[in-house]
Amino acid sequence: MGFEDLIPAPRTGRRVRPPAPFVLDGRTALGAGPGTEGVARLLRDVLGAATGLPLPDGGADSGIVLRLDPALEREGYRLAVDNRAVRIDGGSAAGVFWGATTLRQLLGPEAFRRAPLDPGRRWEVPGVVVEDAPRFRWRGLLLDVARHFTPTDGVLRRLDQMAAHKLNVLHLHLTDDQGWRLEIGRHPALTAVGAWRPRTRFGHRASPLWEEKPHGGFYTRDDIREIVAYAAARHITVVPEIELPGHSQAAIAAYPGLGNTDAVDTASLRVWDDWGISPHVLAPTEATLRFYEEVFEEVLELFPSPFIHIGGDECPREQWRRSPAAQARIRELGLSGEDALQTWFVRHFDGWLAARGRRLVGWDEILEDGSGGPGGATALDGLTGGAVVSSWRGRAGGVAAARAGHDVVMCPEQQVYLDHRQHPGPHEPVPIGQVRTLEDVYRFEPVPPGLTEEQARHVLGAQAQVWTEVMEDQARVDYQLFPRLAAFAETVWSVLPAPGERDVADFERRMAVHYRRLDALGVAYRPPSGPLPWQRRPGVLGRPIEGAPPNV
């Protein structure tokens, strides 16, 4: 393997002359300079497992040598290989780790295995110099564990896949109408009741098929500690999402008093077994605020991330219109109407999190000013400067936020919702949304047109989403993510030409190599020739949308 086959593509790479490779053998040592010890432990674990070599502690002159170089960008690295040594310098431990990830790719797909395939194999690294750094600081993946639960080992597996592609933010969607997935000590019914639904619709919400058995699960506090530590060793930040004030039926089923009890019978409510947007939303009371403050107190203890996502999207207002208590609350707060209640919820937790040194992140509905669309200064003026917008309904919300001086993560449904189908053919499993091919994702550009250079600096990066309503197991999630997540990873790491000028043919050539890495990682990706027979879901209704996605 050479640097010409890397994914994501590095900034620069060149062959060393004469082209003598470095050979790993039983005498190869691994030397860790100050600040790189964690990377060395992990590299020894993964390369030792794949090669069967001991990689004992070494010095700074030969073998594999890890060092910090403050002259490099924080996540940047320099990988220099000759016949005496493999030297990885990074601007931080994260940069060294990304350089080590490149080293694994250069060793070949077998370096991603968990045991040696051939004990007598000769392991060679080509003589190269690669200098690299990411374009964006936020290179994210949202994993929806609320609709279909992913056990802890599945989350760890997903983190390994992210690390192999130099992605560094896992957005865990932990709560929704269909399940609450995080143990909260002060409110045990959130998981005792809220983590379990009686049955699950199979397919889109118009499908007549049901899986008639309970579904659920949750992460204990120790599970979360393990996930966060495993991610941190791979220089990935885990951003939790606790939805409010909508998408809250599971919480209300566990604690009926959180709902609008004077407008609907919340005592008989169960965790939702269907898809879509539930009408059950949180009551705008002081008791509800304090309940969620107690939830977030435990969230902050478990997640060191500076960013905490509160959702803030898709909140129906009908129950508030019918609730005398909600109407009285609107008058008491001097609000203009039900629309302003959602803004009130968001602003409360924006200030609450900011007072504790954290930054609120919310979907682009947090921009709304009561007119029903992404708002301007009216909505933004009430948020702290640290609030971050996840722009999902297109790019307009991100543009409005960046122009107002707020940081943005670009998550447009039309480009990077990977639950959407990837081919127009009839065999795609449970086809959802518009077609987004590998090429479409590769042509995604995180910075919207029309921003000034200063405004564009507010684009922290981008995030791919995988919503799991129609993904009943990890193989289905693999299929929807890959190979498109590899294309997304390059759009947020590499400096690429304009979308129309990108070399799709070269990317597809590199993907031919990369599929073997995915095989070694055990990824059940969509083959270029189409779904394998066991990847199809014949007869299960989806919701395909014809035509190109809107450019919004």
Side-chain angles (χ1 to χ4, degrees):
M1 301 292 169
F3 71 87
E4 304 91 347
D5 300 319
L6 296 173
I7 290 179
R11 288 191 182 180
T12 65
R14 61 180 174 84
R15 296 273 181 172
V16 172
R17 296 287 183 260
F22 177 83
V23 178
L24 274 73
D25 57 29
R27 297 168 297 175
T28 301
L30 174 55
T36 71
E37 296 86 356
V39 180
R41 283 193 297 271
L42 191 59
L43 187 59
R44 181 175 286 111
D45 286 346
V46 295
L47 285 191
T51 65
L53 300 175
L55 301 176
D57 289 338
D61 299 322
S62 62
I64 301 173
V65 181
L66 312 179
R67 301 177 300 195
L68 297 183
D69 182 350
L72 297 171
E73 296 179 42
R74 195 188 73 81
E75 288 191 275
Y77 69 88
R78 181 190 309 107
L79 171 63
V81 183
D82 58 30
N83 60 358
R84 293 186 61 252
V86 174
R87 297 178 178 85
I88 304 175
D89 298 324
S92 68
V96 175
F97 179 76
W98 303 130
T101 301
T102 296
L103 171 61
R104 288 181 78 188
Q105 287 201 16
L106 292 173
L107 280 166
E110 294 80 4
F112 290 89
R113 298 279 180 179
R114 297 185 183 182
L117 303 186
D118 177 7
R121 172 185 171 145
R122 180 181 170 90
W123 291 92
E124 293 185 354
V125 189
V128 296
V129 176
V130 175
E131 297 190 50
D132 200 8
R135 181 183 175 196
F136 293 104
R137 59 179 285 197
W138 188 301
R139 307 181 300 280
L141 170 66
L142 177 143
L143 179 61
D144 172 20
V145 298
R147 273 54 175 267
H148 277 100
F149 180 60
T150 300
T152 299
D153 62 343
V155 178
L156 303 185
R157 176 175 175 268
R158 206 61 70 193
L159 288 165
D160 283 335
Q161 294 170 357
M162 292 177 63
H165 294 83
K166 299 185 172 76
L167 298 173
N168 70 341
V169 176
L170 175 63
H171 175 170
L172 266 186
H173 183 75
L174 290 164
T175 73
D176 215 295
D177 301 309
Q178 297 85 4
W180 183 287
R181 306 294 177 216
L182 177 63
E183 178 186 39
I184 300 296
R186 276 172 284 187
H187 302 296
L190 285 172
T191 48
V193 175
W196 306 95
R197 59 177 180 261
R199 63 176 187 168
T200 299
R201 189 182 293 278
F202 191 29
H204 180 253
R205 59 181 174 269
S207 168
L209 304 177
W210 292 88
E211 187 178 37
E212 296 286 353
K213 66 178 183 180
H215 175 86
F218 64 92
Y219 306 109
T220 67
R221 294 167 64 83
D222 283 346
D223 291 334
I224 292 297
R225 291 186 182 102
E226 179 182 7
I227 289 168
V228 168
Y230 195 87
R234 288 150 183 80
H235 297 275
I236 297 171
T237 298
V238 182
V239 175
E241 180 177 353
I242 305 295
E243 281 267 15
L244 62 87
H247 287 287
S248 298
Q249 181 166 332
I252 298 169
Y255 290 95
L258 294 173
N260 296 279
T261 57
D262 58 347
V264 64
D265 176 17
T266 60
S268 62
L269 198 63
R270 299 190 301 178
V271 177
W272 206 20
D273 60 7
D274 212 345
W275 313 130
I277 303 172
S278 167
H280 295 283
V281 301
L282 298 177
T285 67
E286 290 298 322
T288 298
L289 293 181
R290 183 57 197 147
F291 183 97
Y292 272 83
E293 287 173 356
E294 290 174 350
V295 168
F296 280 115
E297 284 167 3
E298 296 194 28
V299 168
L300 299 192
E301 177 190 340
L302 292 168
F303 294 91
S305 165
F307 302 98
I308 304 295
H309 210 296
I310 58 93
D313 63 314
E314 297 179 327
C315 180
R317 280 40 165 188
E318 180 57 30
Q319 289 185 3
W320 290 340
R321 294 188 185 99
R322 292 162 43 203
S323 164
Q327 293 299 311
R329 187 66 155 159
I330 289 170
R331 293 190 296 271
E332 175 190 344
L333 295 170
L335 301 178
S336 59
E338 297 81 16
D339 290 345
L341 274 179
Q342 178 166 338
T343 302
W344 172 76
F345 267 105
V346 171
R347 288 178 178 174
H348 175 85
F349 285 100
D350 178 37
W352 189 91
L353 289 167
R356 289 154 181 81
R358 308 295 183 99
R359 300 179 65 182
L360 176 143
V361 189
W363 300 107
D364 58 43
E365 282 93 333
I366 71 173
L367 301 175
E368 289 182 354
D369 56 6
S371 63
T378 303
L380 288 167
D381 281 351
L383 295 174
T384 65
V388 179
V389 174
S390 299
S391 187
W392 76 274
R393 292 177 296 178
R395 296 172 294 189
V399 170
R403 286 176 174 166
H406 280 268
D407 287 343
V408 177
V409 178
M410 296 305 299
C411 317
E413 177 183 18
Q414 300 82 1
Q415 278 80 38
V416 290
Y417 270 38
L418 301 187
D419 44 298
H420 287 201
R421 58 189 173 137
Q422 47 198 318
H423 192 275
H427 299 304
E428 292 303 305
V430 200
I432 299 294
Q434 279 111 352
V435 174
R436 294 287 83 193
T437 66
L438 181 67
E439 177 177 345
D440 291 330
V441 175
Y442 189 63
R443 295 191 189 279
F444 167 62
E445 171 50 49
V447 177
L451 295 181
T452 66
E453 185 175 342
E454 180 179 353
Q455 292 164 352
R457 291 194 194 98
H458 286 289
V459 179
L460 301 180
Q463 184 171 278
Q465 278 61 237
V466 57
W467 302 102
T468 61
E469 288 95 332
V470 300
M471 298 177 216
E472 74 280 6
D473 56 37
Q474 291 308 292
R476 277 288 290 119
V477 178
D478 277 7
Y479 181 93
Q480 292 301 131
L481 282 178
F482 291 99
R484 294 181 296 177
L485 191 66
F488 171 80
E490 186 150 310
T491 70
V492 289
W493 177 277
S494 305
V495 177
L496 299 175
E501 301 170 6
R502 293 180 186 173
D503 192 342
V504 175
D506 179 71
F507 179 75
E508 290 177 339
R509 177 194 65 78
R510 287 181 285 127
M511 275 305 307
V513 176
H514 197 66
Y515 285 120
R516 294 172 56 202
R517 300 185 189 117
L518 297 180
D519 288 333
L521 285 167
V523 178
Y525 56 84
R526 182 190 190 275
S529 57
L532 299 167
W534 52 87
Q535 293 176 318
R536 302 171 185 176
R537 297 292 185 275
V540 181
L541 187 67
R543 187 179 63 93
I545 300 173
E546 301 305 324
N551 185 20
V552 293

